[in-house]
Amino acid sequence: MAGATLIVSLVMSGLTFWAVNTIQQDARISDTRFGRDLGLLLASNIAPLIAENNLNEVAEFSGRFYSSTSSVRYLIYADPEGIIHFGIPYSEAEVQNSLTIQRRIQLPDNYATNADLPMVRQHQTPNGEVTDVFVPLQNSGDYLGVLAIGIDPNPTVVASSNLTRDVTIAVFISIWAMVLLGVVFNALTITKPIKELLVGVKSIAAGDFKQRIDIPLGGELGELIFSFNEMAERLESYEEQNIEELTAEKAKLETLVSTIADGAVLLSTELDTVLVNPTARRIFGWDSKAVVGHNILHHLPPTVTVKLTRPLYRLSGSQAAIAEDSQDESLDPVHKHREGDEFRITLSEPTERTIRILLTQVFDQQRTTVKGIAMTVQDITREVELNAAKSQFISNVSHELRTPLFNIKSFIETLYEYGDDLSETEQKEFLHTANNETDRLTRLVNDVLDLSRLESNKTYRLGDVEITRPIEQTLRTYQLNAKDKGVEIIQELEPNLPLILGHYDLLLQVLANLVGNSLKFTNSGGKVVIRAYLVKQMNPVMNQTQKVRVEVSDTGTGIDPEDQAAIFDRFFRVENRVHTLEGTGLGLSIVRNIIEKHHSRVHLISEVEVGSTFWFDLEVYQEPEMLTQVEETTRNK
Ligand code: ADP
């Protein structure tokens, strides 16, 4: 804009100066014409006087002429040799003395003595421009000298052209002053805010939303600045909110990761540990180690490092490992390009444990770039143990089933093939054994079924049970058996026992198992006692509660302390070592499970060759109404 203003102002000024110049040119031409006419007029009047040598008349006439013509600056007469004889405004005295003081006129080079027209030129003097007119003085063909007249330029034209010039200059200067002012004003009011806006927009584009513009301006620019500041403020608060939300989300995720039962480790693509949860720390023994920020391969147990090094490098996107893998023909195509891997590793320190490690690649949103690796660590020691126990159980059951089946088959086969050769007593004995073995098989199958039902987390509805009833029923069942064996069964039941909370059939099974065992392991002349009595206990809230304790004691073989803990395990039988009495080894497991379903535990006190006592406590049954009443009274307190 400044450039355009400059060009326009220059053109305008040029035009004005051109106009002034033209006017001055015209003025000069008219001055020349005027001077020439004036010179010719004066010369025609003067020439005869000069020819007569009437110098006084010349002086007088010239004086009159000079004083009557305002525009004549000087008048000079010179003879053909160029010696000045007379000049106005020079004094009279000077003219008179001109004979003594000889002065010569300086004629222009192109001055011609015989020219018809006077010679005219302009020249500058300290008093301004002057038009010199040189008129040759001729009289009857004689050259008498030269008349030089100096004519002042037309004062009106000079004044008007000067005025025009001054005005043009003034206009030019004022335009420039205005342009300069405009530039300064622009710089202050437009350029600076726009520059600041540019800086602001750039920093916002770079993600710095703290940028504000503090220039108090009105108008559209002011509105723009205001809108910019508002936008930056909104973006900043939006960002703060986003950061807050992200932090909250991160905290939530970290809490989630830290509370999950599985170990979780997050790795960067450089295999540096980014996040480790407490479970992973515990599994790898990193409780007092700073592993975050370090390469995980330097901290994993050696067995894990050996197994995971290559898969970790492959999953981290390391080109070398991928290339190596793609050349590995032993890997199937799926394996070569999969996102995760699963490993089962046994750790020997500090205790022997089995862990399962799952490696999964973490991708960016577009699922194109690997951002890291998520490592999930599960301690599957218990699972492995349970699996082993299950296999052991199945093999035990198979073994236990095979023994009676084999016996039954052998006896029946013998009877079938050699029945005729056997005596009747022998045949009966064989059938009796086969029958016993069938009973054993039935018991075993029933026990296995009972146990699996009890272990299947099935919930049993407990209700009010009068404990004396299952005890008496058990005694009735075993009375005959005991008599045959010569063992005395005694029941000691406290009178007026309260109802207990339990399951009749299950309790019957417990009592049958315990009394059955006692009879089995007590020799003739021994005693089996069933007791039931009320016990008072202090619970943790310092309230006194009543429970009914049931004991089954015998004066039998007793159980070796080293076997006492194991007898509750499935299929454990001391007889497995001794092989004397029949049994499945499941009875006490069933007892323990049933008592646990009654929210209690079964205890054992035993001494070899003295006897054994199995006991457990049962909760006293509370009427539902009573329960509500109790709850209400507690609430009212
Ligand atoms: P079983 O069918 O063999 O009796 P149990 O689980 O009932 O299986 O008992 C496991 C083992 O515990 C028995 O084989 C026996 O060695 C021991 N045992 C159980 N009760 C008694 C007892 N009253 N006296 C001595 N030993 C016992």
Side-chain angles (χ1 to χ4, degrees):
M1 214 174 98
T5 317
L6 175 69
I7 289 165
V8 169
S9 66
L10 276 176
V11 169
M12 294 304 290
S13 310
L15 281 172
T16 319
F17 277 111
W18 175 77
V20 169
N21 218 33
T22 314
I23 292 165
Q24 282 179 341
Q25 215 88 45
D26 285 350
R28 252 182 231 130
I29 289 166
S30 64
D31 282 351
T32 308
R33 228 178 264 146
F34 173 70
R36 202 186 290 148
D37 295 348
L38 207 66
L40 283 174
L41 179 72
L42 190 61
S44 61
N45 286 307
I46 292 288
L49 294 175
I50 293 206
E52 287 165 14
N53 207 15
N54 190 356
L55 281 180
N56 281 336
E57 190 65 27
V58 169
E60 205 177 310
F61 183 80
S62 300
R64 272 203 314 273
F65 186 85
Y66 179 76
S67 52
S68 62
T69 319
S70 64
S71 55
V72 174
R73 192 184 290 184
Y74 67 86
L75 278 171
I76 295 168
Y77 296 100
D79 62 11
E81 278 76 44
I83 295 161
I84 297 169
H85 286 280
F86 179 63
I88 295 177
Y90 310 109
S91 64
E92 294 294 315
E94 205 172 333
V95 174
Q96 279 162 8
N97 290 336
S98 64
L99 289 174
T100 46
I101 305 162
Q102 285 190 352
R103 293 184 68 196
R104 283 183 157 275
I105 191 163
Q106 191 90 43
L107 288 167
D109 295 340
N110 51 353
Y111 173 74
T113 51
N114 52 356
D116 291 337
L117 284 175
M119 207 238 127
V120 183
R121 68 164 189 200
Q122 263 99 17
H123 88 276
Q124 278 294 340
T125 68
N127 297 330
E129 198 176 64
V130 66
T131 306
D132 302 314
V133 182
F134 301 94
V135 193
L137 293 171
Q138 306 270 7
N139 194 31
S140 334
D142 293 335
Y143 177 66
L144 302 175
V146 62
L147 165 65
I149 309 171
I151 296 168
D152 281 330
N154 187 335
T156 328
V157 174
V158 169
S160 72
S161 68
N162 278 354
L163 182 70
T164 315
R165 189 196 59 209
D166 293 347
V167 167
T168 309
I169 289 169
V171 167
F172 189 78
I173 287 170
S174 51
I175 284 175
W176 267 102
M178 277 169 71
V179 167
L180 285 175
L181 270 175
V183 168
V184 172
F185 181 76
N186 259 9
L188 288 176
T189 59
I190 299 171
T191 319
K192 195 177 171 229
I194 284 179
K195 266 189 186 170
E196 291 228 359
L197 269 169
L198 195 72
V199 172
V201 168
K202 272 186 186 166
S203 53
I204 279 184
D208 174 18
F209 302 139
K210 297 229 176 307
Q211 190 72 32
R212 297 285 184 282
I213 296 169
D214 186 22
I215 302 176
L217 269 184
E220 286 174 353
L221 209 57
E223 254 175 56
L224 187 66
I225 289 171
F226 179 76
S227 304
F228 173 86
N229 286 343
E230 210 171 43
M231 176 189 78
E233 213 158 288
R234 283 223 187 121
L235 282 172
E236 197 185 352
S237 70
Y238 181 68
E239 192 197 23
E240 270 168 18
Q241 200 181 325
N242 262 2
I243 288 172
E244 236 169 67
E245 276 172 21
L246 279 175
T247 318
E249 282 303 313
K250 194 171 165 249
K252 267 191 232 167
L253 282 177
E254 276 180 358
T255 317
L256 186 73
V257 169
S258 67
T259 51
I260 55 171
D262 289 346
V265 183
L266 189 66
L267 303 175
S268 69
T269 45
E270 283 76 40
L271 303 186
D272 290 336
T273 317
V274 178
L275 187 126
V276 188
N277 79 343
T279 317
R281 282 185 183 280
R282 189 175 40 74
I283 293 174
F284 291 132
W286 289 341
D287 289 320
S288 52
K289 254 191 196 176
V291 285
V292 174
H294 296 97
N295 192 306
I296 191 162
L297 293 172
H298 301 156
H299 296 284
L300 286 170
T303 40
V304 183
T305 313
V306 168
K307 271 212 163 182
L308 294 193
T309 306
R310 212 171 137 194
L312 279 174
Y313 274 114
R314 191 186 63 244
L315 293 175
S316 69
S318 152
Q319 292 305 313
I322 290 170
E324 224 176 276
D325 259 11
S326 57
Q327 280 169 10
D328 192 343
E329 295 301 324
S330 63
L331 294 176
D332 58 286
V334 179
H335 183 102
K336 280 178 193 173
H337 301 290
R338 66 192 164 178
E339 291 173 8
D341 276 314
E342 198 182 312
F343 302 90
R344 192 176 276 242
I345 303 164
T346 307
L347 301 177
S348 49
E349 281 180 29
T351 51
E352 187 158 308
R353 275 171 307 131
T354 310
I355 55 168
R356 178 164 49 213
I357 296 179
L358 190 77
L359 300 178
T360 321
Q361 283 177 315
V362 180
F363 287 100
D364 63 353
Q365 259 187 338
Q366 288 76 39
R367 292 196 60 77
T368 48
T369 321
V370 179
K371 286 281 170 197
I373 301 168
M375 189 191 225
T376 315
V377 192
Q378 291 171 326
D379 190 340
I380 53 165
T381 315
R382 176 100 185 106
E383 197 180 307
V384 169
E385 278 173 2
L386 280 175
N387 270 342
K390 202 164 95 187
S391 312
Q392 183 68 38
F393 179 74
I394 289 166
S395 103
N396 280 351
V397 169
S398 323
H399 177 77
E400 293 299 321
L401 287 174
R402 212 175 323 148
T403 316
L405 271 175
F406 177 77
N407 289 344
I408 293 164
K409 189 177 161 35
S410 317
F411 283 108
I412 290 175
E413 224 169 39
T414 317
L415 276 171
Y416 179 72
E417 282 177 16
Y418 310 102
D420 297 342
D421 305 337
L422 295 171
S423 67
E424 204 175 320
T425 339
E426 278 174 328
Q427 281 180 6
K428 268 196 172 168
E429 204 179 306
F430 272 38
L431 280 172
H432 182 68
T433 317
N435 191 34
N436 278 353
E437 286 300 308
T438 316
D439 286 347
R440 186 176 158 196
L441 199 63
T442 313
R443 264 202 318 276
L444 185 69
V445 170
N446 284 342
D447 280 356
V448 168
L449 284 176
D450 285 347
L451 194 61
S452 77
R453 207 176 300 136
L454 283 163
E455 286 184 348
S456 69
N457 281 338
K458 182 184 165 193
T459 46
Y460 289 85
R461 244 184 91 81
L462 302 182
D464 54 326
V465 177
E466 208 180 315
I467 192 66
T468 47
R469 282 184 51 223
I471 293 175
E472 279 163 1
Q473 191 177 333
T474 312
L475 280 180
R476 273 198 301 277
T477 315
Y478 284 96
Q479 204 70 46
L480 208 67
N481 196 337
K483 232 178 218 165
D484 285 352
K485 245 197 130 180
V487 176
E488 191 187 354
I489 299 191
I490 305 160
Q491 63 170 22
E492 291 175 8
L493 307 177
E494 194 178 298
N496 304 323
L497 278 174
L499 294 174
I500 57 99
L501 180 74
H503 192 284
Y504 187 89
D505 291 338
L506 293 181
L507 286 173
L508 195 66
Q509 202 174 352
V510 166
L511 291 166
N513 275 335
L514 291 178
V515 174
N517 275 349
S518 290
L519 278 177
K520 199 160 47 176
F521 298 102
T522 307
N523 294 324
S524 172
K527 270 189 210 165
V528 174
V529 186
I530 308 179
R531 288 186 202 92
Y533 56 94
L534 202 63
V535 285
K536 289 190 169 79
Q537 286 176 340
M538 296 295 277
N539 70 6
V541 206
M542 299 305 279
N543 280 342
Q544 210 178 45
T545 50
Q546 291 190 323
K547 290 208 167 164
V548 172
R549 180 164 296 174
V550 180
E551 281 179 12
V552 178
S553 300
D554 63 58
T555 55
T557 55
I559 304 159
D560 200 289
E562 66 171 278
D563 294 329
Q564 284 184 16
I567 56 164
F568 292 98
D569 289 347
R570 290 177 293 197
F571 293 107
F572 181 86
R573 298 178 70 217
V574 178
E575 292 72 37
N576 284 352
R577 296 202 298 261
V578 190
H579 285 291
T580 49
L581 295 163
E582 59 185 30
T584 60
L586 293 174
L588 286 179
S589 293
I590 293 171
V591 168
R592 188 180 61 181
N593 267 291
I594 293 175
I595 297 302
E596 277 170 5
K597 293 267 184 248
H598 284 77
H599 320 295
S600 186
R601 281 182 60 208
V602 59
H603 302 267
L604 162 69
I605 303 160
S606 182
E607 203 177 316
V608 179
E609 301 302 336
V610 177
S612 316
T613 301
F614 290 87
W615 60 270
F616 54 88
D617 289 339
L618 295 169
E619 279 173 39
V620 171
Y621 178 76
Q622 309 259 336
E623 288 284 338
E625 297 87 357
M626 277 171 66
L627 254 173
T628 346
Q629 274 178 12
V630 169
E631 274 173 18
E632 270 171 16
T633 30
T634 340
R635 227 179 288 143
N636 291 341
K637 274 178 192 174

